[in-house]
Amino acid sequence: MKYLLITITLFSFSSLIYSQEQENLILVTLDGVRWQEIFYGIDPNIIIKLEKTTNKIHGIDHYAEDSINSSRQNLCPFIWHKLNKFCQISGNRVHNNRCDVKNNYWFSYPGYNEMLTGKNDPKVNSNAKVYNKNKTILEKLNQQEFYKNQIAVFSSWEVFPYILNNKRSGLMINSGTNDTYNKMTGTSPLAPTVNNDSKIPRKDYRPDKTTYELAKSYLQTYKPKILFLALNDTDEFAHQGKYDEYLHSIHRADSILKDLWETIGTMDEYNNKTALIITTDHGRGYNFSGSWRNHGRSISGSDHIWYITNNSIPGIFGENKDPNQFFLAQVADQIKNRLLNKSK
């Protein structure tokens, strides 16, 4: 039975990639994850610096390079052992493969606005809970008959109803400490399928595991054509200067991706019809002077991001090492080009 399951899973990955029919979209964001960890795993320079201070580093030895795997493979085994066979992974600046934000602020609200509207609006310049005047690609899709009421958004950070302007857009958004979905269905989150839950004391935030369990339950019950899953543990722990917890959060996010992808692989509604996009809203500083903890216009490297997507063209998979320039604003067009042609 174990070998049969593996065969089915691999077939599901393959069918999702090679299809020219892209009726569905899975969009996942990992807030504030640097390209360095995605492509190289543990940053030894940060470890060395932290070990010289009072900061303690716990439980990260198994993310280090070993005789079998590189550090990036141990940190993100699903991305580098599975998705790289069916997705293109871009943003390794060592190869001059550059992914950047266009906005001038280099933090979350402006980043998500750029990602989802396809443009840099200089008036979007804070993380305040202000309803976005710009229409996102998700709102536009929700106005199309084919996708009307077929879009679900689950986010750990509760500012997304404002970024996506739920009052105007009519999108189904479950965000932060909002438990609307639980009350609506009369259920609680599913039993944990992702280990090592995190607890971060903030009123506008909930742990990623809770967000994912709610999203998975909704996905299996209602089968939306578009699911946007916005994770946030990574940014929270980085701001606290807890590099070990930041790494653990990346590893948990990789586990979430694995569980989500395997779940979709068992659902006929998504086979041969699903586009996948995984990215981040901004980067972070480099290791010097502890700037990896933060991001913003004054912190070099905060505009550097990365981008993962499946591709309907066979043979274009794995790490993209070609010199190239990609901007976060292009994500909206990527979604439009793969989905809007399905609208009737």
Side-chain angles (χ1 to χ4, degrees), residues 16-17 86-88 261 274-276 308-312 338:
L16 283 165
I17 296 306
F86 308 106
C87 294
Q88 189 171 65
W261 206 236
T274 303
L276 173 69
I308 301 174
T309 184
N310 62 352
N311 201 315
S312 60
R338 299 178 77 172

Side-chain angles (χ1 to χ4, degrees), residues 15-125:
S15 63
L16 283 165
I17 296 306
Y18 288 113
S19 169
Q20 299 294 328
E21 300 293 326
Q22 304 291 349
E23 295 181 3
N24 309 301
L25 168 71
I26 302 295
L27 172 62
V28 183
T29 54
L30 281 57
D31 199 294
V33 171
R34 306 189 315 159
W35 67 272
Q36 292 93 328
E37 279 77 27
I38 294 296
F39 288 99
Y40 295 100
I42 293 177
D43 189 328
N45 294 311
I46 293 178
I47 298 298
I48 291 171
K49 186 174 182 63
L50 289 176
E51 286 178 342
K52 291 181 178 179
T53 70
T54 58
N55 290 288
K56 302 297 183 182
I57 304 296
H58 299 289
I60 65 170
D61 290 346
H62 56 292
Y63 302 145
E65 181 178 3
D66 56 36
S67 59
I68 300 176
N69 297 313
S70 65
S71 179
R72 74 182 186 182
Q73 290 173 321
N74 285 329
L75 182 62
C76 298
F78 180 66
I79 289 176
W80 290 110
H81 284 301
K82 295 294 184 181
L83 284 188
N84 72 316
K85 297 177 181 178
F86 308 106
C87 294
Q88 189 171 65
I89 307 172
S90 302
N92 189 343
R93 305 180 81 85
V94 171
H95 301 297
N96 201 29
N97 189 267
R98 305 168 75 88
C99 295
D100 300 286
V101 302
K102 274 191 171 183
N103 73 77
N104 297 320
Y105 304 108
W106 309 355
F107 55 85
S108 290
Y109 197 141
Y112 289 114
N113 176 76
E114 176 184 338
M115 179 193 306
L116 297 169
T117 67
K119 62 182 180 180
N120 166 31
D121 182 354
K123 295 180 180 179
V124 178
N125 57 13

Side-chain angles (χ1 to χ4, degrees), residues 236-297:
E236 295 296 326
F237 282 119
H239 279 304
Q240 295 177 26
K242 298 178 179 179
Y243 190 65
D244 50 353
E245 292 294 343
Y246 166 72
L247 294 175
H248 295 327
S249 298
I250 295 174
H251 188 68
R252 284 196 299 271
D254 183 81
S255 297
I256 285 173
L257 291 171
K258 179 178 185 292
D259 188 75
L260 175 60
W261 206 236
E262 291 179 349
T263 299
I264 290 171
T266 66
M267 301 173 70
D268 292 339
E269 293 82 1
Y270 297 97
N271 282 335
N272 296 309
K273 304 171 186 176
T274 303
L276 173 69
I277 294 174
I278 310 167
T279 189
T280 189
D281 54 327
H282 57 75
R284 316 195 77 79
Y286 288 82
N287 54 22
F288 53 88
S289 302
S291 66
W292 70 271
R293 298 175 55 173
N294 298 308
H295 53 88
R297 183 70 183 183

